[in-house]
Each structure stands twice: as C-alpha cells, then as structure tokens.
C-alpha cells in the first residue's frame, strides 16, 4: 500500500504542478488568450461606436440644415455637397464662385500632354435641331400637370452654346489606343465606367458637373459646345466612353467611339431636369502621334423614333417625385470643317516661311489620300463597342421575322422581348 501511495503522489504533482502551483508557461498562455479574445471583441465594438458617432453627427448636421435653410435650401446645398458630409469644401463651392464672379477656373490637363504652341489646330462646328416636344408622351394631353418651370431649360435650348471652336490637334490624343490595343477591332475604355452593383447610381439632385480631369477634359470641352452643363459620367449605366480601331495604316488610325453622357438643363431655382441622349457616337481619323487630325465627327444617332431620355424632379430631396419621358432629337452633332492645319510653316532649318496671322490669305494645303492597309466595316466596329458596354450583346438580337427564320434553321426556341425604347442605349 505504501508503494501505491508513493506512485500516486508524483502523478498528482505532474498534473497540478509542484506544491499545487500552476506553471508559468500555462499561465502566460492563458493571459495571452484572454487578451486576444478581448481585442477581437473590442474591434467591432469600437468600429460600431465610430460609425454610430459619425451617423449621429450627420443626423445632427442634417437637422441643423433643415432649421437653417429649410427643405428646399438644404436641397440646393446638397446638390453642391458631392461627398455628402454636409460641409462645402472650396472645390465643392467652386461652381457658385464661378457663377458669381464669371471667372472659370482652369481645368486640369493630363500631365503627359503638353500642347505645342506651333502645333496644328482643328476647327469644329456644332449643329443642332431642338427636341421635338410633340414626340414626348406628355404632349398628348398638352403637358397637363407639368409645370412650366420644369421644362424651361428644355424649351429654351434651341441652338448650340458654342457654334464654332478651335482645338489643338494634340488634345485628341485621348482617343489614341493604349499599349496592347493597336489592332483593327481592338476596343478599350477611354473613360471607364465607375458604376457597379455596389455603387448603384449617381444622385439626381445636382446642377453643376464635377471638374473634369485627365481624358475627361477634352470630352467635356466638346460636349460643352452643345450646352454649358454636360455631365461626362451619366447617373445610370451605361457610363463612360469606349473606342475601337476601325482601320489603320503605317501613319493613321480611323477610330470610332461611343460616349454615354448627359446634360443638366435647369438652373436654380428650378428643380433639376436631366437630358440623356441614347448615346453620342462618331469617329476620328488621326495620326498615330496625334500631331494631325484629318477628320472628326461626333453626333447623337437619329435613326430611331426615340433617342433621348428625360427626367425631372418635383421636390427638394433625392426621394422627391420624378417625372420621366422620352422624345426625339433630330440633330446634335460636331464636325470638323476640314483637316487640322498648322499656324506656321517652317523649313528644314526651322525658319518660318509662311504663317496664318489673320492679316494675310489663309495657307492653302493639299492633303494626300489615306489608304488603309487593314480595316473593318463601321458596323463591325460599332458591334465591338456594344459588346464592351453590354456583354449581353455577345448573343445576337435579331428582328422579329429574322429571328424565326434563324430559330428554324438552328432548331432553337425564340425568346421575345417587348421594350419601350431600346435595350442597348439610354433611350429606354
């Protein structure tokens, strides 16, 4: 029995430690585990506390804004508050400053683009036929219930804001393809879309577009010839600008492009009125170094019976009632009056031998005809851009009669879709 007792004691000591004390290693592990658990639990609590504090501060500022400005005043304030923090930064206040002073702040150009003062200049002309009011569905009952102020911007927009303007040819380098996209049929994003299922859509209660940057600068300048308030990035998808190489040779590209943008036609105190063409499309024939533009054309397609979507608010908040209509715009286009030309002509040693200084006859140029070594049809190039904007276009969509003929040949079923407008542009 004594032998049994002697054997038992060491086993207890091994389990409980000598003299009943816990070993330092096991205690340290226990405390580390507790601290880790506390930190893991504390992180979401701290994050929740910060979020709660931020939300409460925003709610407090919102209530203060209502008391100080009223609902309509806060609506106008919110149209400038692009980051929705209920504070106006100098950048957000800039549209008001420009409106009051009449001085427009220079926009940012791309850092790697420096205009050559002796480079070529391209002259563009804008043409417009205003929207046919009788094409709107609201016209059928004489615009009953539609306030005159809502349509004031639409009714007064009857001609281009800038009928003619000159641009440095080098600015059109924004349409040149990026590295790896140099073959006929290659398509790419000039201005990428920033919308996805998580971002949703951009707010409606805005009057002034954000300051364009980088490649947006030229697109903004071009669309500003039509109306002074273009939004380069539309509120809803599709958004952005896509281009595709239609033809090329050793020195030139023929590039087709498609732009989804919109205009804000109303100004304070009227509520916003959004004018969204189905699309802007066109093409540019440009040298590969962007020193010369042979041809430029941008337009809203008018081959469909409806080609413009219109939306206008009836209240002072994002959730206010909104009217929606659709209509037909016969013409909205920009076109070059001729190829880009230099203001001075120099000899091989850099000496000026002729110039366009306004006091003499215009310099006469003779341009060689361009022969393409590789090309595709314009319809094919447009399809490449459509697939970039709308992946569903990889599946062919056919006219009603043709669909049944194809289905019979391929032994497939027909899926019929009825739409008010078009599925593959904004006028739907």
């Amino acid at each position: 029995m004594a032998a049994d007792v002697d054997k038992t004691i060491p086993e207890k000591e091994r389990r409980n430690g000598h003299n009943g004390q816990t070993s330092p290693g096991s205690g340290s592990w226990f405390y580390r585990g507790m601290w880790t658990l506390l930190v893991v639990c504390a992180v979401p609590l701290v994050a929740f506390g910060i979020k709660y504090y931020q939300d409460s501060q925003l709610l407090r500022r919102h209530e203060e804004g209502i008391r100080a400005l009223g609902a309509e005043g806060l609506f106008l304030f919110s149209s400038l508050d692009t980051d929705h923090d209920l504070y106006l930064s100098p950048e957000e206040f800039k549209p008001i400053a420009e409106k009051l002073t009449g001085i427009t702040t220079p926009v940012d150009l791309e850092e790697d683009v420096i205009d050559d003062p002796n480079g070529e200049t391209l002259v563009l002309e804008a043409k417009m036929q205003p929207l046919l009011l009788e094409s709107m569905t609201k016209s059928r009952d004489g615009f009953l219930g539609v306030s005159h102020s809502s349509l004031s911007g639409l009714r007064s927009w009857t001609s281009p804001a800038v009928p003619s303007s000159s641009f440095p040819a080098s600015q059109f380098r924004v349409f040149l393809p990026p590295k790896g996209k140099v073959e006929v049929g290659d398509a790419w994003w000039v201005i990428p879309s920033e919308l996805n299922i998580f971002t949703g859509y951009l707010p409606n209660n805005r009057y002034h577009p954000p300051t364009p940057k980088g490649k947006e600068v030229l697109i903004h300048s071009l669309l500003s010839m039509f109306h002074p308030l273009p939004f380069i990035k539309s509120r809803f998808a599709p958004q952005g600008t896509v281009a595709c190489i239609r033809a090329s040779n050793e020195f030139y590209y023929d590039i087709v492009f498609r732009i989804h943008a919109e205009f804000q036609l109303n100004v304070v105190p009227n509520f916003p009125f959004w004018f969204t063409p189905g699309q802007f499309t066109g093409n540019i024939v440009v040298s590969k170094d962007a020193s010369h533009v042979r041809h430029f054309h941008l337009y809203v397609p008018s081959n469909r019976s409806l080609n413009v979507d219109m939306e206008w608010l009836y209240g002072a908040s994002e959730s206010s009632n909104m009217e929606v209509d659709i209509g037909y715009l016969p013409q909205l286009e920009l076109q070059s009056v001729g190829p880009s030309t230099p203001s001075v002509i120099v000899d091989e040693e850099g000496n000026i031998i002729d110039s366009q200084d306004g006091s003499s006859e215009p310099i006469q140029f003779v341009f060689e005809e361009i022969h393409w070594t590789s090309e595709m049809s314009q319809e094919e190039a447009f399809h490449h851009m459509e697939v970039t904007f709308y992946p569903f276009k990889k599946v062919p969509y056919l006219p009603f009669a043709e669909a049944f003929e194809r289905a019979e040949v391929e032994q497939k079923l027909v899926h019929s879709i009825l739409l008010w407008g078009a599925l593959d542009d904004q006028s739907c």
Side-chain angles (χ1 to χ4, degrees), residues 8 44-45 50 63 80 88 106-107 125 129 153 163 168 195 212 230 236 258 281 291 371 374 377 384-385 389 402:
T8 304
L45 290 175
I50 294 174
E63 292 172 347
L80 297 170
L88 288 187
V107 295
E125 288 186 347
Q129 296 179 45
L195 300 178
F236 303 96
R258 176 167 172 168
T281 192
S291 62
H371 298 281
S374 179
S377 70
H384 282 269
M385 292 191 298
F389 273 117
E402 187 178 340

Side-chain angles (χ1 to χ4, degrees), residues 346-409:
V346 297
D347 58 21
E348 294 180 354
E349 298 179 357
N351 301 313
I352 296 177
I353 59 177
D354 202 351
S355 65
Q356 297 186 121
D357 56 8
S359 60
S360 58
E361 290 294 323
I363 304 174
Q364 299 298 319
F365 294 93
V366 177
F367 296 96
E368 79 281 1
E369 185 179 353
I370 297 177
H371 298 281
W372 303 113
T373 56
S374 179
E375 62 182 312
M376 63 169 45
S377 70
Q378 197 169 59
E379 290 72 22
E380 289 177 297
F382 284 165
H383 179 69
H384 282 269
M385 292 191 298
E386 285 181 340
V387 171
T388 304
F389 273 117
Y390 307 98
F392 69 82
K393 294 287 285 187
K394 295 177 181 178
V395 176
Y397 283 70
L398 304 173
F400 198 73
E402 187 178 340
F404 281 95
E405 294 176 1
R406 179 77 67 86
E408 185 176 2
V409 171

Side-chain angles (χ1 to χ4, degrees), residues 82 89 133 148 163 185 199 209 254 307 364 416 423:
T82 56
S89 66
L133 294 176
H148 181 76
T199 60
D254 183 359
N307 62 352
Q364 299 298 319
S416 180
L423 185 63

Side-chain angles (χ1 to χ4, degrees), residues 174-178 181 183 185-191 240-246 254-259 281-284 381-382 384-386 388-389:
V174 302
F175 289 105
L176 291 179
K181 296 284 186 179
E183 302 297 330
D186 284 345
W188 66 94
W189 288 95
V190 178
I191 300 177
T241 300
V242 166
C244 176
I245 300 175
R246 191 203 70 80
D254 183 359
I255 296 171
V256 297
F257 55 84
R258 176 167 172 168
I259 302 168
T281 192
N283 77 301
I284 179 173
F382 284 165
H384 282 269
M385 292 191 298
E386 285 181 340
T388 304
F389 273 117

Side-chain angles (χ1 to χ4, degrees), residues 158 211 227 304:
T158 59
T211 302
H227 191 277
R304 289 174 171 169

Side-chain angles (χ1 to χ4, degrees), residues 299-310:
Y299 63 98
V300 172
S302 56
N303 58 321
R304 289 174 171 169
S305 58
L306 299 169
N307 62 352
V308 175
D309 178 78
M310 290 160 284

Side-chain angles (χ1 to χ4, degrees), residues 59-369:
L59 179 61
R60 181 180 60 81
R61 293 177 204 162
H62 185 271
E63 292 172 347
E64 291 175 352
I66 290 288
R67 287 195 298 270
L69 302 173
E72 293 190 4
L74 184 62
F75 170 78
L76 298 178
F77 181 92
S78 300
S79 70
L80 297 170
D81 183 25
T82 56
D83 57 6
H84 308 294
D85 63 352
L86 290 174
Y87 284 109
L88 288 187
S89 66
E91 182 70 22
E92 292 169 330
F93 184 74
K94 186 163 63 176
I96 297 298
E98 292 175 351
K99 186 80 172 178
L100 295 176
T101 63
I103 301 174
T104 302
T105 306
V107 295
D108 294 332
L109 294 173
E110 290 187 278
E111 295 180 0
D112 58 340
V113 177
I114 300 175
D115 293 331
D116 181 1
N118 297 322
E120 297 189 3
T121 299
L122 184 71
V123 179
L124 299 181
E125 288 186 347
K127 297 180 180 179
M128 174 186 180
Q129 296 179 45
L131 183 113
L132 301 180
L133 294 176
E134 61 270 22
S135 67
M136 298 174 64
T137 58
K138 298 291 188 296
S139 69
R140 297 170 188 171
D141 55 8
F143 294 98
L144 183 65
V146 179
S147 66
H148 181 76
S149 62
S150 296
L151 302 182
S152 61
L154 176 64
R155 294 181 187 275
S156 62
W157 187 31
T158 59
S159 61
V162 182
S164 178
S165 186
S166 299
F167 295 85
S170 59
Q171 287 192 8
F172 290 84
R173 69 171 60 249
V174 302
F175 289 105
L176 291 179
K179 293 180 180 179
K181 296 284 186 179
V182 295
E183 302 297 330
V184 168
D186 284 345
W188 66 94
W189 288 95
V190 178
I191 300 177
S193 173
E194 296 179 352
L195 300 178
N196 54 53
I197 60 174
F198 301 106
T199 60
Y201 58 87
L202 300 180
N204 296 306
N205 60 329
R206 294 179 295 161
Y207 292 95
H208 302 282
T211 302
K213 297 179 180 179
K215 294 182 178 181
E216 299 172 6
V217 173
L218 177 65
I219 306 298
H220 183 273
S221 299
L222 294 173
L223 297 187
S224 293
M225 292 183 66
F226 297 130
H227 191 277
L229 294 177
F231 283 71
I232 303 307
K233 294 179 179 177
S234 53
R235 293 161 298 145
F236 303 96
Q239 184 193 74
T241 300
V242 166
C244 176
I245 300 175
R246 191 203 70 80
S248 70
N249 63 18
E250 185 180 358
F251 302 105
Y252 288 95
Y253 287 122
D254 183 359
I255 296 171
V256 297
F257 55 84
R258 176 167 172 168
I259 302 168
H260 282 277
E262 54 192 347
F263 300 101
Q264 176 53 245
L265 302 191
N266 278 353
V267 295
V268 177
N270 298 325
F271 295 122
F273 185 105
W274 294 94
F275 187 93
T276 311
Q279 61 172 286
F280 297 87
T281 192
N283 77 301
I284 179 173
V285 178
V286 59
S287 63
K288 291 186 175 182
D289 63 358
S291 62
H292 177 68
V293 177
R294 181 62 60 88
H295 170 78
F296 182 85
H297 188 206
L298 179 152
Y299 63 98
V300 172
S302 56
N303 58 321
R304 289 174 171 169
S305 58
L306 299 169
N307 62 352
V308 175
D309 178 78
M310 290 160 284
E311 300 173 351
W312 59 96
L313 293 177
Y314 270 133
S317 70
E318 186 69 22
S319 59
S320 298
N321 291 334
M322 174 181 282
E323 287 279 5
V324 179
D325 209 334
I326 198 167
Y328 179 70
L329 182 70
Q331 183 184 34
L332 193 65
E333 66 176 320
L334 297 178
Q335 190 149 5
S336 53
V337 298
S340 63
T341 56
S343 58
V344 297
I345 299 178
V346 297
D347 58 21
E348 294 180 354
E349 298 179 357
N351 301 313
I352 296 177
I353 59 177
D354 202 351
S355 65
Q356 297 186 121
D357 56 8
S359 60
S360 58
E361 290 294 323
I363 304 174
Q364 299 298 319
F365 294 93
V366 177
F367 296 96
E368 79 281 1
E369 185 179 353

